[in-house]
Amino acid sequence: MKNKINQLILFCTLLISLAFNTFAQKKDYPIKPVAFTKVHVEDNFWQPKMEINAKVTIPYVIAQCKANGRMDNFLRAGKK
């Protein structure tokens, strides 16, 4: 009896999963993936923020990682 209940639960779970995947994927979805190297941001909102991150924030965070010994942890984790 318990085995049949487990089989029924498994069957229902698989059926619901299959139905969800079938309905969730639209064949005519208008947005297509592109490589991140093909993406260019040229606006007045995001571009300045991205430039500040690239020129100021990221170098500062890397310097802090080196100063506080976190870079050593990254190197240890990467077995370098």
Side-chain angles (χ1 to χ4, degrees), residues 1-10:
M1 180 79 173
K2 194 174 187 181
N3 193 21
K4 288 191 180 222
I5 292 173
N6 287 341
Q7 288 177 346
L8 181 61
I9 291 172
L10 179 62

Side-chain angles (χ1 to χ4, degrees), residues 21-73:
N21 286 335
T22 302
F23 293 120
Q25 296 175 357
K26 294 183 178 182
K27 303 284 186 224
D28 58 345
Y29 189 65
I31 299 174
K32 304 288 184 221
V34 295
F36 73 92
T37 55
K38 301 283 185 186
V39 176
H40 301 282
V41 178
E42 299 172 352
D43 68 348
N44 293 326
F45 182 77
W46 286 111
Q47 189 177 21
K49 291 171 178 25
M50 291 170 62
E51 286 179 16
I52 289 172
N53 273 333
K55 293 178 181 173
V56 179
T57 306
I58 294 173
Y60 175 78
V61 170
I62 290 174
Q64 289 299 308
C65 286
K66 289 178 182 177
N68 295 320
R70 285 178 284 198
M71 194 62 74
D72 294 334
N73 292 337

